[in-house]
mmCIF file of all heavy atoms in Angstrom:
data_model
loop_
_atom_site.group_PDB
_atom_site.id
_atom_site.type_symbol
_atom_site.label_atom_id
_atom_site.label_comp_id
_atom_site.label_asym_id
_atom_site.label_seq_id
_atom_site.Cartn_x
_atom_site.Cartn_y
_atom_site.Cartn_z
ATOM 1 N N GLN A 158 -43.642 -102.412 -144.224
ATOM 2 C CA GLN A 158 -43.442 -102.769 -142.819
ATOM 3 C C GLN A 158 -43.381 -101.480 -142.005
ATOM 4 O O GLN A 158 -43.139 -100.402 -142.559
ATOM 5 C CB GLN A 158 -42.104 -103.510 -142.637
ATOM 6 C CG GLN A 158 -42.025 -104.838 -143.366
ATOM 7 C CD GLN A 158 -40.674 -105.519 -143.194
ATOM 8 O OE1 GLN A 158 -39.618 -104.893 -143.311
ATOM 9 N NE2 GLN A 158 -40.697 -106.814 -142.922
ATOM 10 N N GLY A 160 -40.974 -99.860 -139.871
ATOM 11 C CA GLY A 160 -39.557 -100.087 -139.623
ATOM 12 C C GLY A 160 -39.018 -101.138 -140.581
ATOM 13 O O GLY A 160 -39.669 -101.471 -141.575
ATOM 14 N N CYS A 161 -37.839 -101.650 -140.282
ATOM 15 C CA CYS A 161 -37.250 -102.681 -141.142
ATOM 16 C C CYS A 161 -36.221 -103.450 -140.342
ATOM 17 O O CYS A 161 -35.488 -102.881 -139.534
ATOM 18 C CB CYS A 161 -36.595 -102.048 -142.369
ATOM 19 S SG CYS A 161 -35.895 -103.276 -143.501
ATOM 20 N N ALA A 162 -36.148 -104.768 -140.605
ATOM 21 C CA ALA A 162 -35.236 -105.620 -139.831
ATOM 22 C C ALA A 162 -33.855 -105.740 -140.466
ATOM 23 O O ALA A 162 -32.960 -106.351 -139.892
ATOM 24 C CB ALA A 162 -35.849 -107.016 -139.696
ATOM 25 N N MET A 163 -33.676 -105.154 -141.658
ATOM 26 C CA MET A 163 -32.458 -105.447 -142.424
ATOM 27 C C MET A 163 -31.232 -104.675 -141.948
ATOM 28 O O MET A 163 -30.099 -105.054 -142.256
ATOM 29 C CB MET A 163 -32.687 -105.193 -143.915
ATOM 30 C CG MET A 163 -33.779 -106.063 -144.512
ATOM 31 S SD MET A 163 -33.353 -107.813 -144.403
ATOM 32 C CE MET A 163 -34.890 -108.503 -143.801
ATOM 33 N N GLY A 164 -31.471 -103.571 -141.258
ATOM 34 C CA GLY A 164 -30.356 -102.895 -140.586
ATOM 35 C C GLY A 164 -29.334 -102.204 -141.477
ATOM 36 O O GLY A 164 -28.182 -102.039 -141.051
ATOM 37 N N CYS A 165 -29.712 -101.791 -142.678
ATOM 38 C CA CYS A 165 -28.749 -101.056 -143.512
ATOM 39 C C CYS A 165 -28.331 -99.787 -142.761
ATOM 40 O O CYS A 165 -29.182 -99.078 -142.212
ATOM 41 C CB CYS A 165 -29.352 -100.699 -144.864
ATOM 42 S SG CYS A 165 -29.949 -102.148 -145.749
ATOM 43 N N VAL A 166 -27.025 -99.509 -142.783
ATOM 44 C CA VAL A 166 -26.503 -98.488 -141.862
ATOM 45 C C VAL A 166 -26.847 -97.052 -142.261
ATOM 46 O O VAL A 166 -26.776 -96.148 -141.443
ATOM 47 C CB VAL A 166 -24.967 -98.616 -141.685
ATOM 48 C CG1 VAL A 166 -24.606 -99.925 -141.005
ATOM 49 C CG2 VAL A 166 -24.250 -98.486 -143.024
ATOM 50 N N PHE A 167 -27.222 -96.856 -143.522
ATOM 51 C CA PHE A 167 -27.497 -95.491 -144.011
ATOM 52 C C PHE A 167 -28.989 -95.185 -144.034
ATOM 53 O O PHE A 167 -29.410 -94.147 -144.533
ATOM 54 C CB PHE A 167 -26.940 -95.360 -145.437
ATOM 55 C CG PHE A 167 -27.362 -96.515 -146.304
ATOM 56 C CD1 PHE A 167 -28.626 -96.536 -146.867
ATOM 57 C CD2 PHE A 167 -26.520 -97.605 -146.488
ATOM 58 C CE1 PHE A 167 -29.041 -97.613 -147.622
ATOM 59 C CE2 PHE A 167 -26.934 -98.698 -147.238
ATOM 60 C CZ PHE A 167 -28.197 -98.698 -147.808
ATOM 61 N N CYS A 168 -29.824 -96.116 -143.536
ATOM 62 C CA CYS A 168 -31.267 -96.000 -143.732
ATOM 63 C C CYS A 168 -31.988 -95.786 -142.400
ATOM 64 O O CYS A 168 -31.769 -96.535 -141.440
ATOM 65 C CB CYS A 168 -31.780 -97.266 -144.409
ATOM 66 S SG CYS A 168 -33.577 -97.371 -144.475
ATOM 67 N N ALA A 169 -32.833 -94.781 -142.368
ATOM 68 C CA ALA A 169 -33.545 -94.451 -141.127
ATOM 69 C C ALA A 169 -34.432 -95.608 -140.668
ATOM 70 O O ALA A 169 -34.493 -95.920 -139.470
ATOM 71 C CB ALA A 169 -34.389 -93.198 -141.342
ATOM 72 N N SER A 170 -35.089 -96.290 -141.621
ATOM 73 C CA SER A 170 -35.950 -97.418 -141.237
ATOM 74 C C SER A 170 -35.103 -98.549 -140.668
ATOM 75 O O SER A 170 -35.499 -99.221 -139.711
ATOM 76 C CB SER A 170 -36.728 -97.958 -142.439
ATOM 77 O OG SER A 170 -37.407 -96.934 -143.105
ATOM 78 N N GLY A 171 -33.947 -98.757 -141.277
ATOM 79 C CA GLY A 171 -33.066 -99.834 -140.835
ATOM 80 C C GLY A 171 -32.508 -99.589 -139.450
ATOM 81 O O GLY A 171 -32.425 -100.490 -138.615
ATOM 82 N N VAL A 172 -32.135 -98.359 -139.207
ATOM 83 C CA VAL A 172 -31.590 -98.015 -137.895
ATOM 84 C C VAL A 172 -32.675 -98.172 -136.826
ATOM 85 O O VAL A 172 -32.414 -98.617 -135.709
ATOM 86 C CB VAL A 172 -31.010 -96.574 -137.907
ATOM 87 C CG1 VAL A 172 -30.612 -96.139 -136.510
ATOM 88 C CG2 VAL A 172 -29.815 -96.494 -138.855
ATOM 89 N N MET A 207 -40.982 -99.134 -152.222
ATOM 90 C CA MET A 207 -39.664 -98.633 -151.827
ATOM 91 C C MET A 207 -39.758 -97.741 -150.605
ATOM 92 O O MET A 207 -38.856 -96.967 -150.324
ATOM 93 C CB MET A 207 -39.059 -97.787 -152.953
ATOM 94 C CG MET A 207 -38.667 -98.560 -154.164
ATOM 95 S SD MET A 207 -37.713 -97.495 -155.266
ATOM 96 C CE MET A 207 -37.475 -98.615 -156.633
ATOM 97 N N GLY A 208 -40.874 -97.803 -149.913
ATOM 98 C CA GLY A 208 -41.025 -96.994 -148.720
ATOM 99 C C GLY A 208 -40.363 -97.702 -147.549
ATOM 100 O O GLY A 208 -39.332 -98.366 -147.689
ATOM 101 N N MET A 209 -40.997 -97.577 -146.400
ATOM 102 C CA MET A 209 -40.415 -98.198 -145.221
ATOM 103 C C MET A 209 -40.563 -99.716 -145.325
ATOM 104 O O MET A 209 -41.616 -100.230 -145.695
ATOM 105 C CB MET A 209 -41.195 -97.691 -144.010
ATOM 106 C CG MET A 209 -40.427 -97.683 -142.718
ATOM 107 S SD MET A 209 -41.555 -97.366 -141.360
ATOM 108 C CE MET A 209 -41.988 -95.686 -141.644
ATOM 109 N N GLY A 210 -39.483 -100.417 -145.014
ATOM 110 C CA GLY A 210 -39.589 -101.873 -144.931
ATOM 111 C C GLY A 210 -39.004 -102.625 -146.105
ATOM 112 O O GLY A 210 -38.718 -102.065 -147.153
ATOM 113 N N GLU A 211 -38.808 -103.908 -145.895
ATOM 114 C CA GLU A 211 -38.294 -104.809 -146.927
ATOM 115 C C GLU A 211 -39.478 -105.670 -147.402
ATOM 116 O O GLU A 211 -39.925 -106.580 -146.695
ATOM 117 C CB GLU A 211 -37.168 -105.679 -146.321
ATOM 118 C CG GLU A 211 -36.743 -106.875 -147.149
ATOM 119 C CD GLU A 211 -36.400 -106.557 -148.600
ATOM 120 O OE1 GLU A 211 -35.540 -105.707 -148.850
ATOM 121 O OE2 GLU A 211 -37.013 -107.171 -149.498
ATOM 122 N N PRO A 212 -39.983 -105.367 -148.595
ATOM 123 C CA PRO A 212 -41.205 -106.040 -149.051
ATOM 124 C C PRO A 212 -41.097 -107.566 -149.052
ATOM 125 O O PRO A 212 -42.052 -108.269 -148.720
ATOM 126 C CB PRO A 212 -41.411 -105.538 -150.481
ATOM 127 C CG PRO A 212 -40.398 -104.503 -150.736
ATOM 128 C CD PRO A 212 -39.484 -104.390 -149.565
ATOM 129 N N SER A 242 -38.878 -103.271 -154.643
ATOM 130 C CA SER A 242 -37.450 -103.034 -154.392
ATOM 131 C C SER A 242 -37.008 -103.884 -153.210
ATOM 132 O O SER A 242 -37.644 -103.889 -152.161
ATOM 133 C CB SER A 242 -37.233 -101.548 -154.078
ATOM 134 O OG SER A 242 -35.888 -101.316 -153.729
ATOM 135 N N THR A 243 -35.920 -104.590 -153.396
ATOM 136 C CA THR A 243 -35.454 -105.473 -152.328
ATOM 137 C C THR A 243 -33.962 -105.302 -152.065
ATOM 138 O O THR A 243 -33.187 -104.983 -152.967
ATOM 139 C CB THR A 243 -35.746 -106.955 -152.659
ATOM 140 O OG1 THR A 243 -35.217 -107.772 -151.605
ATOM 141 C CG2 THR A 243 -35.093 -107.376 -153.975
ATOM 142 N N SER A 244 -33.608 -105.564 -150.824
ATOM 143 C CA SER A 244 -32.202 -105.525 -150.450
ATOM 144 C C SER A 244 -31.509 -106.823 -150.879
ATOM 145 O O SER A 244 -30.304 -106.959 -150.681
ATOM 146 C CB SER A 244 -32.091 -105.346 -148.936
ATOM 147 O OG SER A 244 -32.821 -106.355 -148.274
ATOM 148 N N SER A 266 -31.352 -103.383 -154.448
ATOM 149 C CA SER A 266 -30.434 -102.444 -153.812
ATOM 150 C C SER A 266 -29.067 -103.097 -153.727
ATOM 151 O O SER A 266 -28.881 -104.051 -152.979
ATOM 152 C CB SER A 266 -30.963 -102.097 -152.418
ATOM 153 O OG SER A 266 -32.191 -101.414 -152.562
ATOM 154 N N HIS A 268 -25.562 -101.298 -153.826
ATOM 155 C CA HIS A 268 -24.757 -100.462 -152.920
ATOM 156 C C HIS A 268 -23.283 -100.824 -152.788
ATOM 157 O O HIS A 268 -22.524 -100.100 -152.141
ATOM 158 C CB HIS A 268 -25.354 -100.409 -151.500
ATOM 159 C CG HIS A 268 -26.813 -100.075 -151.466
ATOM 160 N ND1 HIS A 268 -27.407 -99.216 -152.360
ATOM 161 C CD2 HIS A 268 -27.809 -100.503 -150.653
ATOM 162 C CE1 HIS A 268 -28.694 -99.124 -152.093
ATOM 163 N NE2 HIS A 268 -28.971 -99.891 -151.074
ATOM 164 N N MET A 279 -24.803 -103.278 -145.598
ATOM 165 C CA MET A 279 -26.084 -103.995 -145.472
ATOM 166 C C MET A 279 -25.842 -105.408 -144.943
ATOM 167 O O MET A 279 -25.415 -106.289 -145.676
ATOM 168 C CB MET A 279 -26.845 -104.087 -146.800
ATOM 169 C CG MET A 279 -26.182 -103.471 -147.973
ATOM 170 S SD MET A 279 -27.014 -103.622 -149.572
ATOM 171 C CE MET A 279 -28.679 -104.014 -149.281
ATOM 172 N N VAL A 281 -27.564 -107.855 -144.541
ATOM 173 C CA VAL A 281 -28.247 -108.942 -145.246
ATOM 174 C C VAL A 281 -27.298 -109.653 -146.210
ATOM 175 O O VAL A 281 -27.497 -110.818 -146.571
ATOM 176 C CB VAL A 281 -29.506 -108.425 -145.997
ATOM 177 C CG1 VAL A 281 -29.132 -107.496 -147.145
ATOM 178 C CG2 VAL A 281 -30.367 -109.577 -146.511
ATOM 179 N N GLY A 386 -35.017 -93.227 -147.411
ATOM 180 C CA GLY A 386 -34.199 -93.394 -146.232
ATOM 181 C C GLY A 386 -34.648 -92.515 -145.091
ATOM 182 O O GLY A 386 -34.172 -92.625 -143.979
HETATM 183 FE FE1 SF4 B 502 -34.643 -101.990 -144.894
HETATM 184 FE FE2 SF4 B 502 -34.339 -101.130 -147.417
HETATM 185 FE FE3 SF4 B 502 -33.760 -99.533 -145.309
HETATM 186 FE FE4 SF4 B 502 -32.191 -101.596 -145.874
HETATM 187 S S1 SF4 B 502 -32.553 -99.806 -147.177
HETATM 188 S S2 SF4 B 502 -32.918 -101.050 -143.834
HETATM 189 S S3 SF4 B 502 -33.657 -103.107 -146.554
HETATM 190 S S4 SF4 B 502 -35.748 -100.332 -145.862
#
Side-chain angles (χ1 to χ4, degrees):
Q158 297 178 315
C161 182
M163 299 298 134
C165 304
V166 295
F167 49 80
C168 171
S170 308
V172 172
M207 291 190 183
M209 207 191 291
E211 167 52 56
S242 175
T243 178
S244 55
S266 295
H268 310 326
M279 1 177 19
V281 67

